[in-house]
Amino acid sequence: MYQVKPISGREIHVDLPTCMYRLPNIHRDDGDRDHAFQDAEADPAVKALEARQDEIMRRLYELKAAVEGLSKTITTPDADIDVAHLSEVVNSKPLAGTADLDILLGKNYGALRDIVINANPSHPPLSLLVLHCLLRERFHVLSTVHVHSSVSNVPPHLLACFEEQDKNQSRHDFQLGFTLIWKDVPTPQMKFSIQNMCPIEGEGNIARFLFALLGQQQDPITATLVDSWIDMAIFQLAQGSSKEKAAVLRTINAALGRSPWLVGAHRSLADIVTCCVVLQAAGPVAIPANVQKWMKSCENLPEFNGVYKLLQ
C-alpha cells in the first residue's frame, strides 16, 4: 500500500544456529579426540557408571558359577549330572534284620499298632501293596480291607488284595496292623496314631514311612537319590505330560544301563515306587529296552506277585 525506506544502508548478516548445542568434533585430529576422551574420563558421573557396570558384571559371574554348581547336585532329567550318573557310586545294602517297632513307633502298651490307609479304588496304590508284602515277611501283620460308604462299587480283586488269614487268631497275637480302606479320596492318606501325629498324604510319603519300618540303613547320599527317584516318578511320570513321561523314561533307561537297579546294586524303595508308577502311568509312551528288562526283574520278585495280579 505504501513503501518504507530501509533503516540501514547495507545488508546485515545474522549467524543463526544450526543445532540445539555444540559438541567438539572428534574427527578433526588426534589432539582434539584425546582431549575429548580425557574430559569424559574425568567426569565423575561416567566413572560412577563404569564402576556400577563392573559390579553388576562381577555379581552376574558369581551367580552363574553358583547356578552351575547347583545344577550338578539337582537330579532332574535336564540337569548336567543326574541320578543316572550318581547311582554308579552308591553302595546300598539289601534288606537285613528286623526293625525295633518300639523305637520306630513308640512303646506298645497292649493295643495293636494299626496302620490305616485310605485309598481310591480307581487308582490303587500299588507300591503300598508291595511294601505290605515286605512287612509281612518281617512282622506278624494283621491285614484287613474295608469299604467306605463314599464308594459304591469296588472290584472283587481289590477286596481280595490281601491273602487270607486265620480268623481264629486274636489281635494281640499280631505285631502290626495294616488296614486298607477303599474310600473316595483324591490321594492316599495314612493314619497311625490319631492322638500323636497328623495324617500322611501321598503315595510316595506313605511308602517312605512303611519302608522305614523294614529297618534298612541308608547313607545320606543313597537316601537323597531314592527320594529324587520317588519324586520324579510321582510328580513327573504319574502326573506329567507325554513329553515329561518320555523324558523320565529316558533317564531311568540311562540309569539302568549302568546298574541293575536305580540306586546301587540292590533293590530299593526307588525301584518299588517307580516300577509301580510305570505300570500304571506309562500308557502309550514307548518303554525303552533297559526299563523293560528292569520291570521283568521286578516282576520276578515275590513281593510284586500280588501287584501284577491286580493289573491282569
Side-chain angles (χ1 to χ4, degrees), residues 82-145:
D82 56 14
V83 292
H85 174 76
L86 291 178
S87 60
E88 296 179 357
V89 299
V90 174
N91 184 21
S92 61
K93 298 180 180 180
L95 295 175
T98 300
D100 189 342
L101 292 179
D102 288 340
I103 296 176
L104 296 173
L105 302 179
K107 184 67 176 176
N108 180 16
Y109 294 101
L112 177 66
R113 301 181 178 94
D114 196 2
I115 296 173
V116 181
I117 297 176
N118 297 325
N120 199 316
S122 62
H123 191 80
L126 300 183
S127 64
L128 305 186
L129 300 179
V130 174
L131 291 169
H132 167 262
C133 294
L134 292 176
L135 288 173
R136 292 192 62 180
E137 293 177 1
R138 284 162 175 76
F139 305 106
H140 196 192
V141 180
L142 174 61
S143 307
T144 54
V145 179

Side-chain angles (χ1 to χ4, degrees), residues 190-221:
M190 191 207 80
K191 292 183 179 180
F192 171 69
S193 176
I194 299 177
Q195 292 82 9
N196 300 329
M197 65 178 290
C198 61
I200 298 177
E201 295 193 357
E203 183 175 350
N205 295 327
I206 299 175
R208 293 182 177 97
F209 179 89
L210 298 179
F211 192 77
L213 301 181
L214 299 174
Q216 183 182 26
Q217 300 296 325
Q218 291 181 336
D219 59 87
I221 295 179

